[in-house]
């Protein structure tokens, strides 16, 4: 009887041990399945991310390409024009008023204000007076002109050394105007009073396939006056002579040594 009980207990022990061992194996197998599933999911996420990245890059490239829109072959902004000598009085003040006239035309355009001979004359006189009171010289460098555009007219002006026809076209198409400082005697304009201005400024308002369209205040024929790209770009030089007086007896400075810069003019949204 004792042997039978012992055998029965042994059988039950072995059966329990078997079930315990089977449970451990099942749990281990389930954990392996779970771990494998996680690995598959992680790999899928990485693959998806990698597959999406080129798509994102492609979209970015398309957007960037859309921003690089080529300017049209013809473009012109209707900027009001009056010469720097509105009543053909080429006295010392008006001989030196190309900077003032260019800035006044730009300001009238952006502010949508009227401009005629009487207004131009009055504006030149007021601006020259203000410049004198604020220690600006007769001949303005590009940096000084940009400062006047900001302080006196409330416009946004930036001096740039990137001088290319494409850069100028891009700025104009975006709604800006360009004011160029020039070695005036390099500018091929037969209507200048000879030998031509030592130093000059004018506005670029547009272009076609071969020429810039300007408002050149150095002549009464300066409205929409056209210059070949190369002829005008060749003449770009900033003022080098420092402060001078009207009819200064000192030797003329060499303007061709001046920096190649331009003034990009637009609205100042902070001052509207």
């Amino acid at each position: 009887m004792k042997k039978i009980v012992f055998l029965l207990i042994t059988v039950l022990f072995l059966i329990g041990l078997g079930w315990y061992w089977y449970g451990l194996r099942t749990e281990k197998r389930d954990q392996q399945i779970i771990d494998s599933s996680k690995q598959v999911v992680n790999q899928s996420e990485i693959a998806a991310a990698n597959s999406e990245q080129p798509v994102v890059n492609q979209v970015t490239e398309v957007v960037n390409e859309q921003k690089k829109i080529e300017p049209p072959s013809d473009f012109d902004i209707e900027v009001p024009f009056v010469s720097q000598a509105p009543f053909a009085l080429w006295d010392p003040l008006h001989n030196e008023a190309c900077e003032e006239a260019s800035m006044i035309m730009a300001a009238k355009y952006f502010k949508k204000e009227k401009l005629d001979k009487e207004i131009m004359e009055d504006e030149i006189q007021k601006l020259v007076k203000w410049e004198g009171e604020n220690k600006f010289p007769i001949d303005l460098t590009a940096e000084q002109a940009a400062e006047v555009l900001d302080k006196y007219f409330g416009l946004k002006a930036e001096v740039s050394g990137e001088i290319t026809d494409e850069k100028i076209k891009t700025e104009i198409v975006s709604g800006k105007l360009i004011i160029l400082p020039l070695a005036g005697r390099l500018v091929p304009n037969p209507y200048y009073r000879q030998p031509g201005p030592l130093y000059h400024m004018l506005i670029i308002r547009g272009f076609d396939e071969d020429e810039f369209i300007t408002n050149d205040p150095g002549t009464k024929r300066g409205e929409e006056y056209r210059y070949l790209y190369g002829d005008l770009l060749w003449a770009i030089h900033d003022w080098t002579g420092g402060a001078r007086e009207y009819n200064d007896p000192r030797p003329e400075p060499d303007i061709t040594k001046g920096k190649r810069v331009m003034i990009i003019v637009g609205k100042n949204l902070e001052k509207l």
Side-chain angles (χ1 to χ4, degrees), residues 97-197:
C98 57
E99 301 101 309
E100 287 77 15
S102 295
M103 292 188 287
I104 290 165
M105 286 188 282
K108 294 300 182 184
Y109 165 72
F110 285 114
K111 296 180 180 182
K112 303 183 185 306
E113 295 176 352
K114 179 183 176 182
L115 182 63
D116 57 24
K117 291 181 179 181
E118 288 78 11
I119 293 172
M120 176 63 93
E121 179 65 30
D122 182 56
E123 293 286 356
I124 288 175
Q125 297 292 342
K126 289 192 296 186
L127 179 52
V128 168
K129 183 175 183 293
W130 179 88
E131 289 170 340
E133 292 170 349
N134 288 273
K135 311 303 180 185
F136 286 94
I138 293 171
D139 301 283
L140 300 178
T141 65
E143 289 285 355
Q144 290 167 334
E147 188 177 353
V148 174
L149 285 162
D150 174 36
K151 292 182 177 179
Y152 186 83
F153 293 105
L155 297 176
K156 184 175 182 179
E158 171 193 355
V159 177
S160 173
E162 184 182 347
I163 308 296
T164 66
D165 55 340
E166 290 302 318
K167 171 67 172 176
I168 291 172
K169 290 178 185 178
T170 299
E171 295 295 343
I172 292 173
V173 170
S174 73
K176 310 286 181 57
L177 294 176
I178 304 296
I179 296 179
L180 294 185
L182 302 164
R185 291 169 191 171
L186 297 181
V187 180
N189 190 321
Y191 299 112
Y192 289 163
R193 300 174 75 233
Q194 296 307 308

Side-chain angles (χ1 to χ4, degrees), residues 234-246:
W234 167 257
I236 296 175
H237 293 285
D238 203 4
W239 175 248
T240 59
R244 295 193 310 160
E245 301 295 330
Y246 292 118

Side-chain angles (χ1 to χ4, degrees), residues 41-104:
V41 171
N42 290 338
Q43 290 176 346
S44 299
E45 290 176 350
I46 293 171
N50 289 337
S51 65
E52 289 175 1
Q53 189 63 33
V55 175
V56 173
N57 290 340
Q58 290 172 8
V59 171
T60 302
E61 289 174 2
V62 169
V63 171
N64 289 337
E65 284 298 321
Q66 289 176 343
K67 289 180 180 179
K68 298 177 183 177
I69 299 174
E70 291 294 324
S73 58
D74 296 272
F75 192 84
D76 186 28
I77 299 172
E78 293 186 12
V79 180
F81 173 82
V82 178
S83 85
Q84 68 194 71
F87 297 102
L89 175 62
W90 291 95
D91 60 5
L93 185 149
H94 292 89
N95 278 335
E96 303 292 342
C98 57
E99 301 101 309
E100 287 77 15
S102 295
M103 292 188 287
I104 290 165

